[in-house]
Amino acid sequence: MLVCSRQGRWRAGSRSLGNQGIWKASNGRRSGKAVALAMVSTVTLAASAIHPQVAAASAPTCDEYALLAYANQARAAQNLTPLIWSDAIGEAAREHSDDVTAHGCLQHDSCDGEAWWHRIQRYYPGWSMLAENIAGGGSDPRLVHNGWMASPGHRGNILGAYSEFGAGISVAPPSEGSWSYSTEDFGTRGPIPLSSIPTLPAGGVVPRLHYESQPRDLVVNYYDPGGGAPSAVRALVGSSCVNLTRIAGSASNGTYGTTRTFSDLCTPVVFEAIRSDGSRHRWPENEAIVVGVGTASVTCPELTAVVPTQDCGGGGGPLPTPTPAPGGAGADLDNVRVVLKPSNASPIEASVQVQATLPALADFDPTSGPISLELTFGGSGDWSVDLPSVCEDAPCLTPNRQTTSYRARYDTARALSFVLGSNGRWKVRFSARDQAVGTLEPGPLTLRVTVDGQTFTASAEGELRGSGLLVVN
């Protein structure tokens, strides 16, 4: 199964990145017994491992896959066979990025002095050729890739005679300056059957998260060893079908893409291709990339199991069936009603009324932790509230005797309740006065409710009625 989410790899550490400002890069190659480190040195080393082999463990992030998509785009432009992702090489690259983020050594060799190719060999034994590109500074895959392509040595690695690829991007926490370190490694252990290369080797939406509703790059690699041109390459964006055009390479070995502006808080995206034989192929296969907009976009998961399933035309075989995710990130709210009514005291303040029905849940306990509600609406509207779980050493939400309802009044301005309906689903209601919401404008509205460690969302069109904004879904 293809996944591109890696959690818990934040590492502390901050160091100067040298005279090249916020971006610095270096590349390394190894073939046989000769090692060339551009910008560092040239040495000769034996090819024996100094550490035992280690198994790959972590799944790549969507940005790490995007580095593969951009590398394959560059290779397609030169009519070179696409690289395929290697979990083993990816783990070696991530170890190095995390090591440098933690210890600040901007170099190919590990911070403890281990040779860079020894590190890769621990994960990827039996190689015949290896190469590595590194960069420090920003984490945007486009900028990192473009920087490498502007350097002959790094470009040579990307376009080299390799078959497998792995990457690691490690980002320091905000307290350390939020800088990042990127490593991409290339390897080959001999020829691989062309039929083993996926029809869609990699794809990406860049940037995946952004505070503004700006255009994003959608890119996906396409490959058919038989030389057949696809009958369609597209992206399923939410409920929309977006056709992609070839931007590099040939019809049968190319990269397809477009730019698109997103407006919803969290939008699922899947790439799809229909080959000349009518077969349907998707990337990711069983999940969707989640693209986020706004200040709350950092809460969007990288992936969701609730994938778009619309039939955009063409292709044989059944459409993929989404994996139900009741109560999981991206699960939908029903019966949504949102009313924002401006305050008499200030044009940017309003009373907020929210009600919605949660998906069917087992063992629901709204007192188990903090609760948050978030709204994004119109062109720039944004509102959120974080509600504590404990008030004066007791749970803020008070249950009735049957525990079929929970109610809380946090102050004279805010009230919250959860009530279990006859259909076995919980309805949430929230009201507050004098909330800073900005200018009320019609347009898409997204509601996000986090409770009991789970997040639920819904989107609908908002319309102005009288002096207020009303949303009914």
Side-chain angles (χ1 to χ4, degrees):
M1 175 184 292
L2 172 65
V3 294
C4 53
S5 179
R6 180 168 58 91
Q7 305 295 330
R9 301 191 69 86
W10 292 85
R11 298 291 187 87
S14 179
R15 291 293 189 275
S16 170
L17 301 182
N19 296 328
Q20 298 187 48
I22 65 168
W23 193 88
K24 183 175 181 181
S26 186
N27 72 298
R29 290 198 188 103
R30 181 168 177 83
S31 178
K33 294 185 178 181
V35 175
L37 298 181
M39 301 170 61
V40 183
S41 63
T42 300
V43 295
T44 301
L45 298 172
S48 60
I50 61 174
H51 290 278
Q53 179 185 349
V54 180
S58 300
T61 68
C62 293
D63 281 350
E64 290 164 353
Y65 266 121
L67 283 176
L68 173 57
Y70 285 124
N72 282 337
Q73 177 178 337
R75 292 175 66 86
Q78 302 298 319
N79 197 30
L80 299 172
T81 304
L83 303 167
I84 60 175
W85 182 272
S86 164
D87 286 336
I89 297 178
E91 194 68 16
R94 282 183 227 114
E95 178 187 307
H96 190 51
S97 291
D98 286 345
D99 181 28
V100 175
T101 300
H103 302 106
C105 60
L106 188 59
Q107 60 190 35
H108 286 283
D109 292 344
S110 301
C111 295
D112 65 1
E114 180 188 10
W116 68 275
W117 62 272
H118 278 175
R119 164 182 38 87
I120 300 174
Q121 183 168 279
R122 284 192 280 118
Y123 295 92
Y124 187 71
W127 53 267
S128 58
M129 294 178 63
L130 292 177
E132 180 172 273
N133 290 340
I134 60 176
S139 61
D140 187 312
R142 294 172 303 183
L143 300 180
V144 174
H145 172 76
N146 290 340
W148 282 327
M149 288 297 292
S151 162
H154 303 91
R155 177 187 173 91
N157 286 346
I158 292 171
L159 302 180
Y162 307 103
S163 57
E164 296 182 276
F165 174 98
I169 301 174
S170 182
V171 183
S175 61
E176 300 294 336
S178 295
W179 64 280
S180 68
Y181 193 89
S182 301
T183 303
E184 64 178 10
D185 289 329
F186 307 83
T188 187
R189 296 192 244 205
I192 63 171
L194 297 182
S195 60
S196 67
I197 299 175
T199 298
L200 301 179
V205 182
V206 181
R208 189 181 69 84
L209 304 179
H210 201 277
Y211 293 147
E212 299 177 359
S213 182
Q214 70 167 30
R216 318 294 178 94
D217 285 352
L218 281 70
V219 294
V220 66
N221 310 133
Y222 176 86
Y223 183 70
D224 181 355
S231 60
V233 180
R234 55 215 173 192
L236 281 62
V237 180
S239 60
S240 301
C241 298
V242 179
N243 290 324
L244 306 181
T245 59
R246 179 157 45 96
I247 57 178
S250 64
S252 62
N253 178 20
T255 295
Y256 291 73
T258 190
T259 59
R260 184 174 177 87
T261 299
F262 291 75
S263 57
D264 291 341
L265 174 60
C266 300
T267 302
V269 176
V270 172
F271 295 99
E272 180 179 82
I274 308 299
R275 287 177 58 160
S276 57
D277 61 6
S279 59
R280 186 192 310 271
H281 302 266
R282 284 193 170 185
W283 193 94
E285 292 183 4
N286 302 300
E287 297 167 295
I289 300 171
V290 181
V291 181
V293 177
T295 56
S297 65
V298 293
T299 63
C300 297
E302 282 210 60
L303 295 168
T304 177
V306 184
V307 301
T309 59
Q310 62 267 28
D311 188 349
C312 300
L319 289 167
T321 301
T323 302
D332 290 335
L333 299 166
D334 292 329
N335 305 316
V336 174
R337 181 181 176 86
V338 177
V339 179
L340 305 179
K341 188 171 182 179
S343 166
N344 294 327
S346 170
I348 63 171
E349 291 187 349
S351 63
V352 177
Q353 297 179 16
V354 175
Q355 72 177 41
T357 301
L358 304 179
L361 300 171
D363 302 321
F364 178 64
D365 181 8
T367 68
S368 63
I371 297 169
S372 67
L373 292 89
E374 304 166 14
L375 292 173
T376 57
F377 52 90
S380 59
D382 187 75
W383 169 86
S384 64
V385 63
D386 296 313
L387 303 170
S389 59
V390 177
C391 300
E392 297 181 354
D393 299 325
C396 299
L397 286 164
T398 302
N400 63 1
R401 183 175 299 179
Q402 296 80 22
T403 62
T404 56
S405 73
Y406 294 81
R407 301 182 186 275
R409 181 167 290 280
Y410 296 91
D411 47 43
T412 58
R414 299 178 300 171
L416 176 71
S417 68
F418 292 90
V419 178
L420 183 63
S422 58
N423 60 357
R425 297 173 63 183
W426 291 88
K427 177 172 286 188
V428 55
R429 291 186 176 91
F430 175 81
S431 63
R433 299 192 306 272
D434 303 326
Q435 301 293 295
V437 298
T439 303
L440 300 183
E441 298 176 350
L445 178 143
T446 298
L447 167 65
R448 189 177 182 90
V449 178
T450 300
V451 58
D452 195 18
Q454 304 170 85
T455 300
F456 314 93
T457 62
S459 298
E461 286 294 317
E463 56 183 272
L464 291 174
R465 292 190 183 179
S467 60
L469 181 68
L470 173 66
V471 173
V472 178
N473 182 15

